[in-house]
Amino acid sequence: MGPDHERNPRGSLDDVAIEVVGVVVAVTDDRPRVLTVGGAAPRLPTGALHLSGDVTLERALRRMVLEQTGLELGYVEQLYTLGDRDRGTDLAVRLISVAYLALVREREPQGDSQWRDLYEFLPWEDFRGGRPAPLDRSVIPALRDWVERSDGDAADVRRERAGIVFGRDGSPWDIERSLERYELLYEMGWVPEAGARQDPPQRGAAMALDHRRIVAQALGRVRGKLRYRPVVFELLSDEFTLTGLQRVVEALSGTRLHSQNFRRLIDRGGLVEGTGRHDTGTGGRPAELHRFRREVVRERPAPGVGLPGMPTSG
Amino acid sequence: MGPDHERNPRGSLDDVAIEVVGVVVAVTDDRPRVLTVGGAAPRLPTGALHLSGDVTLERALRRMVLEQTGLELGYVEQLYTLGDRDRGTDLAVRLISVAYLALVREREPQGDSQWRDLYEFLPWEDFRGGRPAPLDRSVIPALRDWVERSDGDAADVRRERAGIVFGRDGSPWDIERSLERYELLYEMGWVPEAGARQDPPQRGAAMALDHRRIVAQALGRVRGKLRYRPVVFELLSDEFTLTGLQRVVEALSGTRLHSQNFRRLIDRGGLVEGTGRHDTGTGGRPAELHRFRREVVRERPAPGVGLPGMPTSG
DNA sequence: ACAAAAGTGTTCGTCTTACACCCATGC
DNA sequence: GCATGGGTGTAAGACGAACACTTTTGT
């Protein structure tokens, strides 16, 4: 990716490199998955912008992901651009990374790339089986510790912030604040990337550089987007059962939804229409197959699947 | 800003430049304003990233805006990164621009910079005085024309898209789609930047390069943000009347709000608290001064001012 | 028959919207 | 007094959460 850059002995930066990074998300078997490259501390698909060849940044991303993983992307949106001076690259260049979120239907990737469960990296974000164990066993105590490591006003500020982003002291757990949660844990020096050499599973799997942060941001973005744009359908095949749809939404939001109300919400919103065909093999009564109604985009200003509030806890 | 770059005679790009761009927004006298630099085709404050000196992109932005306009920014969030190969720069470098949205209380800027009414650039976005004249007199006919310039399926696709983003044929006008509207007008070759040499006032004032596009995106972002984060208060002084608050929200959303319900929404949401002090000189009964309650951030997951739906039209 | 999952109906409480009305000031 | 804007009450309706219940399959 680009010219070789040696560590600069003078410590000053006089060159810059631009790369694109993709958080490619799919959902299969009720698990949200993210496309990674490499082994121990995997990274997200990343590649240099071809200054002359890539007409747009988005097309650079599509080219790069195709080259590295063999996957053609569908829905793509720009997420964030990272350009801090100290990003742990060991390069003498200033590295600017333009990160994208992409949603695809899962297909087998090629080369060194593979799908991993997104919650491996952020295990405290998955409430589908009740409050996640790492949250109460590991995160909360660490937070308490961090609050008590300071005193007076500083402690109040910390307690306040921890309460807001982790849903404590009367604040609700807000699924969209996944980035704020990660950033707080990072600042605490608690996540493996931030210096700690050991990698306790409760703290989630590490990724290269600041890629885990990008994943946290992507998760928050998807969760928000679900509410008001029909992006779930990018992850489903053309025909699906309502329960299948619900499972995908649950996987991404990290919550369980009330199935009866979910169905109603969906078809009252006019998001889908039945095909008349059915899926047997669901274990019980066959489920009707539905398809996405493209027309809703014009009928309603913000068509999304509508997520409920989370139970307040802690 | 950075090294000089000549037009490259070979037509291939082998160098890159990074800059930060700020859409600095304020509201005064019920008008949303954006900070601009220069005269005829003004630009947004823009400056090169100091590879070695700027620790983060955000700090680069704050430094740059301070240097160019003398203003210290408060709330800042990253908006988008532009990096298309053809951005009309006449430079032989690939120009990457990281755009930020900033909200400030208006103060007099220094040097070559000045505040301009945001709706000068996007006159079809302001519904406060009823449907904006440029929309019906100029935009809609141009859209119709554009649809009819194609035929068959292509015409249907165009009609559909025009309907969605401009709130026609049963679609509601969605205030947050300001970028999509601008992009459509741009693709139509209708806005001055896109080749047209004349500058009809109905089409809005031109800006340098693609800066007007960035303004359109910033407007959409602010409008969305209003709904679910208490960002309005960044634009107000510490104490304000509820009507004052309403005027600011109206200025940004480009709509009129029902005052009685607006008040209730605000203080039912616990966003503000009365100070007991009053503002005479409002023309009628003195209005109580309020202040923002910072605590709401912890109490509610998405505290915003809550905008109503717009009346469907066209 | 029974389990399992799909799908429907109904109630209840909350939030949104609209309308009517009262209050406090300046002229 | 009356115009002007600030501020409150209340009722109708939309919407979400919760619960009970019926339907259709496989074993």
Side-chain angles (χ1 to χ4, degrees):
Chain A
M1 34 161 159
D4 272 14
H5 289 284
E6 300 293 324
R7 183 189 283 276
N8 187 332
R10 300 191 313 282
S12 83
L13 302 172
D14 48 16
D15 203 0
V16 64
I18 314 285
E19 63 177 23
V20 286
V21 181
V23 185
V24 183
V25 174
V27 177
T28 326
D29 300 333
D30 303 350
R31 306 164 83 87
R33 301 191 198 249
V34 59
L35 190 58
T36 62
V37 181
R43 60 175 179 83
L44 295 167
T46 300
L49 171 70
H50 293 181
L51 299 181
S52 199
D54 291 318
V55 178
T56 68
L57 295 172
E58 185 181 314
R59 288 169 94 171
L61 177 86
R62 291 179 187 274
R63 171 190 56 72
M64 180 275 291
V65 172
L66 181 62
E67 286 172 6
Q68 290 190 16
T69 72
L71 293 182
E72 292 203 46
L73 300 180
Y75 177 87
V76 165
E77 79 172 60
Q78 197 183 294
L79 194 57
Y80 197 72
T81 297
L82 297 91
D84 282 9
R85 205 179 48 189
D86 175 26
R87 292 180 59 202
T89 56
D90 270 9
L91 296 175
V93 291
R94 183 85 179 233
L95 179 64
I96 308 290
S97 304
V98 185
Y100 280 81
L101 166 67
L103 304 178
V104 297
R105 315 197 215 292
E106 183 171 329
R107 279 183 28 237
E108 205 52 47
Q110 295 165 3
D112 198 17
S113 58
Q114 57 195 294
W115 293 105
R116 293 184 200 240
D117 191 318
L118 196 150
Y119 293 127
E120 275 179 36
F121 304 107
L122 307 167
W124 52 87
E125 294 287 344
D126 185 6
F127 278 69
R128 286 175 297 170
R131 282 178 67 81
L135 184 57
D136 287 322
R137 285 221 293 265
S138 189
V139 175
I140 302 287
L143 282 171
R144 206 188 322 268
D145 215 66
W146 174 73
V147 168
E148 284 162 7
R149 266 208 303 278
S150 61
D151 43 32
D153 283 356
D156 289 343
V157 171
R158 287 187 172 188
R159 197 187 337 271
E160 169 101 1
R161 178 167 169 213
I164 292 168
V165 309
F166 281 95
R168 304 188 33 84
D169 310 326
S171 299
W173 178 275
D174 183 348
I175 59 170
E176 293 179 39
R177 292 193 193 265
S178 49
L179 174 60
E180 290 167 76
R181 283 187 282 272
Y182 181 79
E183 284 187 324
L184 178 50
L185 296 176
Y186 181 87
E187 285 176 41
M188 286 164 52
W190 185 84
V191 288
E193 288 89 339
R197 273 294 149 252
Q198 84 286 29
D199 186 355
Q202 299 256 323
R203 303 189 183 187
M207 294 189 88
L209 300 180
D210 43 18
H211 287 194
R212 204 167 159 200
R213 191 207 119 103
I214 303 175
V215 171
Q217 184 160 11
L219 181 62
R221 180 73 68 90
V222 183
R223 287 175 169 183
K225 213 94 194 183
L226 282 179
R227 281 186 199 284
Y228 60 94
R229 290 289 131 117
V231 288
V232 223
F233 304 104
E234 306 289 337
L235 301 161
L236 289 160
S237 29
D238 290 339
E239 299 201 343
F240 47 84
T241 66
L242 291 183
T243 304
L245 171 59
Q246 181 179 342
R247 293 285 172 261
V248 173
V249 174
E250 288 175 336
L252 292 172
S253 70
T255 65
R256 283 273 167 231
L257 301 172
H258 185 113
S259 66
Q260 291 96 319
N261 291 336
F262 180 80
R263 319 177 84 75
R264 228 179 321 243
L265 227 72
I266 293 300
D267 62 28
R268 183 156 44 73
L271 277 158
V272 302
E273 61 192 359
T275 62
R277 311 200 306 118
H278 291 263
D279 178 17
T280 53
T282 52
R285 169 177 172 174
E288 185 171 7
L289 289 167
H290 290 72
R291 78 166 68 86
F292 173 48
R293 284 187 62 238
R294 300 224 151 269
E295 308 90 286
V296 286
V297 182
R298 68 171 316 127
E299 292 162 3
R300 302 204 303 140
V305 293
L307 294 166
M310 281 290 295
T312 309
S313 58
Chain B
M1 35 162 159
D4 273 11
H5 289 284
E6 300 293 323
R7 183 189 284 277
N8 186 331
R10 300 190 314 282
S12 82
L13 301 173
D14 49 16
D15 202 359
V16 64
I18 313 286
E19 63 177 23
V20 286
V21 181
V23 185
V24 183
V25 173
V27 177
T28 325
D29 300 333
D30 303 352
R31 306 163 83 86
R33 302 190 197 249
V34 60
L35 190 57
T36 63
V37 180
R43 59 174 180 84
L44 295 168
T46 300
L49 171 70
H50 293 180
L51 299 182
S52 200
D54 292 318
V55 179
T56 69
L57 296 171
E58 185 181 314
R59 288 170 94 171
L61 177 85
R62 291 178 187 275
R63 172 191 56 71
M64 180 275 292
V65 173
L66 181 63
E67 286 172 7
Q68 290 190 15
T69 72
L71 293 182
E72 292 203 47
L73 301 180
Y75 177 86
V76 166
E77 78 171 62
Q78 197 182 294
L79 194 57
Y80 197 73
T81 297
L82 298 91
D84 281 10
R85 204 178 49 188
D86 175 27
R87 292 180 60 203
T89 56
D90 270 9
L91 296 175
V93 290
R94 183 83 180 235
L95 180 63
I96 307 290
S97 303
V98 185
Y100 280 81
L101 165 67
L103 305 178
V104 297
R105 314 198 215 295
E106 184 171 326
R107 279 185 25 237
E108 205 52 48
Q110 295 165 4
D112 198 17
S113 58
Q114 56 195 293
W115 294 105
R116 293 184 200 239
D117 191 319
L118 196 151
Y119 293 127
E120 275 179 35
F121 303 106
L122 307 167
W124 52 85
E125 294 288 344
D126 185 6
F127 278 68
R128 286 175 297 169
R131 284 177 67 81
L135 183 58
D136 287 323
R137 286 221 293 265
S138 190
V139 175
I140 301 287
L143 282 171
R144 206 188 323 267
D145 215 67
W146 174 74
V147 169
E148 285 162 7
R149 266 208 303 279
S150 61
D151 42 33
D153 284 355
D156 288 343
V157 171
R158 287 188 171 188
R159 198 187 335 273
E160 169 101 0
R161 177 166 169 214
I164 292 168
V165 308
F166 280 95
R168 302 184 40 80
D169 310 327
S171 299
W173 178 275
D174 183 348
I175 59 171
E176 293 178 38
R177 293 192 192 264
S178 49
L179 174 61
E180 289 167 76
R181 283 187 282 271
Y182 181 80
E183 284 187 324
L184 177 50
L185 296 176
Y186 181 88
E187 284 176 41
M188 285 165 53
W190 185 84
V191 288
E193 288 88 339
R197 272 293 151 253
Q198 84 285 31
D199 184 356
Q202 299 256 321
R203 303 189 182 187
M207 294 188 89
L209 300 179
D210 43 19
H211 287 193
R212 205 168 159 198
R213 192 207 118 104
I214 303 176
V215 172
Q217 184 160 10
L219 181 61
R221 180 73 69 89
V222 182
R223 287 175 168 182
K225 213 92 195 186
L226 282 179
R227 281 185 199 284
Y228 59 94
R229 290 289 132 118
V231 288
V232 222
F233 303 104
E234 305 290 338
L235 301 161
L236 290 161
S237 28
D238 290 339
E239 300 200 344
F240 48 82
T241 66
L242 291 181
T243 305
L245 171 59
Q246 182 179 342
R247 293 284 173 263
V248 173
V249 174
E250 287 175 338
L252 293 172
S253 71
T255 66
R256 285 273 166 229
L257 301 172
H258 185 114
S259 65
Q260 291 96 319
N261 291 337
F262 179 80
R263 320 177 84 73
R264 226 178 323 242
L265 229 71
I266 294 300
D267 62 27
R268 183 158 41 73
L271 277 158
V272 301
E273 60 192 358
T275 61
R277 309 202 305 120
H278 291 263
D279 177 17
T280 53
T282 53
R285 170 176 172 175
E288 186 171 7
L289 290 166
H290 290 72
R291 78 167 70 85
F292 174 47
R293 283 186 62 237
R294 301 223 151 269
E295 308 89 286
V296 287
V297 183
R298 68 171 316 129
E299 292 162 3
R300 302 204 303 142
V305 293
L307 294 166
M310 279 290 295
T312 308
S313 59

